[in-house]
Amino acid sequence: MNKQQLFEQIQLKKSFLCIGLDPVLEKLPKHLLKYEDPILEFNKQLIDATHDLCVAYKPNTAFYESRGVKGWETLVKTWQHIPKDQFTIADAKRGDIGNTSAMYAEAFFNEESSAMSFDSITVAPYMGKDSVSPFLNHPNKWVILLALTSNPGSQDFQTQQSNEQLLYEQVIKTSATWANSDQLMYVVGATKAQEFENIRRLAPDHFLLVPGVGAQGGDLAAVCKYGLNKQCGLLINAARSIIYASSGEDFAEAARAEALALQQEMEQLLKAAQLL
Amino acid sequence: MNKQQLFEQIQLKKSFLCIGLDPVLEKLPKHLLKYEDPILEFNKQLIDATHDLCVAYKPNTAFYESRGVKGWETLVKTWQHIPKDQFTIADAKRGDIGNTSAMYAEAFFNEESSAMSFDSITVAPYMGKDSVSPFLNHPNKWVILLALTSNPGSQDFQTQQSNEQLLYEQVIKTSATWANSDQLMYVVGATKAQEFENIRRLAPDHFLLVPGVGAQGGDLAAVCKYGLNKQCGLLINAARSIIYASSGEDFAEAARAEALALQQEMEQLLKAAQLL
């Protein structure tokens, strides 16, 4: 999916919601345990109940890898169940030397190799340009580079001084020379709303993937005040607040209600910004 | 495996060689293609032919993930085939917020969850302390943190000024407060032999995992001159130069010959440093 198509989906659905599919077996509604693959059933019902309210789904690969081979099977089948009008994000935080990143690109972008072809993958910037470029060699695929994350550890390096700027600022400036906003997005944590104004100066046209709204405490209106651009430019991720909205048999309906509340808030914010 | 046990293995085998198991189907000897899982057969024969000459095996997860579910199965069976006296490294370059890194730790450290239990995992430092700590919560398991890598992109951020030092220096200094040298190692590329003296000032007691000897052009003697410490403190990784030493039916013997040459050079270097 290219940038214009993503913006069209945002306008069509009046939403820039991304739903994080990060399931843990112990937290699943008990009635799902009778299925052969309870996590897959959980994901399928969540997707079926919410796909008209969101524009993206983001499985975090750790939650699947933790279950070994059967978890990887669940990830493949989850990807296969996501409707084709959704922007799909493999939240994998990968990155290695060039020939190895090329293999990760096969893993997440090449359906013939791995039975999955996500639109995008999250990548860690520490190893620099040649760790990122192999992903960009795939046409119409995206790198979502970690810039400023929402966790406490973001203070350890990302916000330290680097060449008279902060490291995350340097990551944005340097990586913007590797690809333009048609293939590159940034991860920016919503717990840092005051930083969005600064980030928009460095990356006015890029989409930003924003985790941390909901369970992690971010404020949607504050993020939008500084983060919206002329093609929306934001994908707001919510995971736990939606997928665990209820632990009962009504979990999918409850997830839909949470997603609907966010979609309605987003619709108002898009209208106020004259993007609808 | 703890640090003392690792040093004992190094003394026993007179070797600090780590063999990288990074197989690509297209590069395999043709006679292996008749097997149901040619990559697993390749890995098994390599391990059987070399395990008395090395102290560690390091599968890079990208090469398995690129083949989807069947690749993940090969990774599990490869880990299961590695003798228990070997130090095993999941070269996975992971790292995410705390609850997600905890899931990656399940994936690579908890055999009940994933059917694999590596001794260690490579981790990217960009997300800071809480992205690393969940791995350290597993007793006797190790984090091998990226410090100074061997690829061209290491110049983009790792060697940039950060708080009046270089970023990789800051990564070493800061992370050394998270764990001691009993659970933490660093990745330091062998193409940077002149930097080892500096790194040993910052991390005198830590083991360093050193890729880049062989196909990537690093010099073993130069690395040892500055890198050896009183418990050896080095794991030197070689992959392509060993695993692809021959593309014929004699690939395992050829791999053994390459490994033996490195082991013999290492034995001399250990003797010269009075570590045997």
Side-chain angles (χ1 to χ4, degrees), chain A residues 126 129-130 147 153 156 160 163, chain B residues 126 129-130 147 153 156 160 163:
Chain A
Y126 190 73
K129 181 178 181 179
D130 60 295
D156 288 322
Q160 297 294 308
N163 290 335
Chain B
Y126 191 74
K129 182 178 180 178
D130 60 297
D156 288 322
Q160 298 293 309
N163 290 336

Side-chain angles (χ1 to χ4, degrees), chain B residues 83-230:
Chain B
K84 294 298 171 233
D85 62 358
Q86 294 285 332
F87 185 80
T88 51
I89 302 170
D91 192 3
K93 313 281 198 306
R94 300 299 200 263
D96 206 317
I97 63 173
N99 76 324
T100 304
S101 276
M103 300 304 278
Y104 281 127
E106 292 294 303
F108 293 104
F109 290 164
N110 186 344
E111 194 170 354
E112 283 184 34
S113 293
S114 65
M116 296 187 288
S117 180
F118 286 86
D119 291 298
S120 64
I121 181 172
T122 56
V123 176
Y126 191 74
M127 294 182 70
K129 182 178 180 178
D130 60 297
S131 70
V132 172
S133 301
F135 298 104
L136 300 168
N137 292 339
H138 289 251
N140 284 322
K141 300 294 185 182
W142 296 73
V143 164
I144 308 180
L145 199 64
L146 301 182
L148 182 61
T149 58
S150 56
N151 63 318
S154 65
Q155 305 298 307
D156 288 322
F157 307 117
Q158 296 168 26
T159 60
Q160 298 293 309
Q161 287 291 328
S162 176
N163 290 336
E164 297 173 8
Q165 58 198 333
L166 304 184
L167 176 59
Y168 83 85
E169 296 174 321
Q170 193 193 356
V171 165
I172 292 173
K173 283 188 199 173
T174 301
S175 61
T177 68
W178 305 340
N180 63 24
S181 64
D182 291 328
Q183 268 195 295
L184 188 61
M185 302 186 183
Y186 297 104
V187 173
V188 180
T191 53
K192 310 281 192 306
Q194 71 280 14
E195 308 265 21
F196 275 81
E197 193 171 12
N198 178 40
I199 288 165
R200 272 292 174 231
R201 269 196 295 267
L202 298 172
D205 299 324
H206 291 73
F207 264 86
L208 308 177
L209 173 63
V210 184
V213 169
Q216 291 180 59
D219 177 336
L220 179 58
V223 169
C224 287
K225 181 177 176 185
Y226 301 111
L228 284 172
N229 70 14
K230 60 183 186 292

Side-chain angles (χ1 to χ4, degrees), chain A residues 191-210:
Chain A
T191 52
K192 309 285 190 307
Q194 71 282 11
E195 308 265 20
F196 274 81
E197 193 172 13
N198 179 40
I199 287 165
R200 272 293 174 228
R201 270 195 295 264
L202 298 172
D205 299 324
H206 292 73
F207 263 85
L208 307 177
L209 172 64
V210 184

Side-chain angles (χ1 to χ4, degrees), chain B residues 13-17 19 49-55 86 255-257 259-261 263 266:
Chain B
K13 293 181 171 165
K14 303 174 175 59
S15 170
F16 43 102
L17 177 62
I19 297 182
T50 59
H51 68 88
D52 59 319
L53 303 173
C54 65
V55 294
Q86 294 285 332
R256 180 174 175 81
L260 182 63
Q263 182 274 321
M266 289 176 180

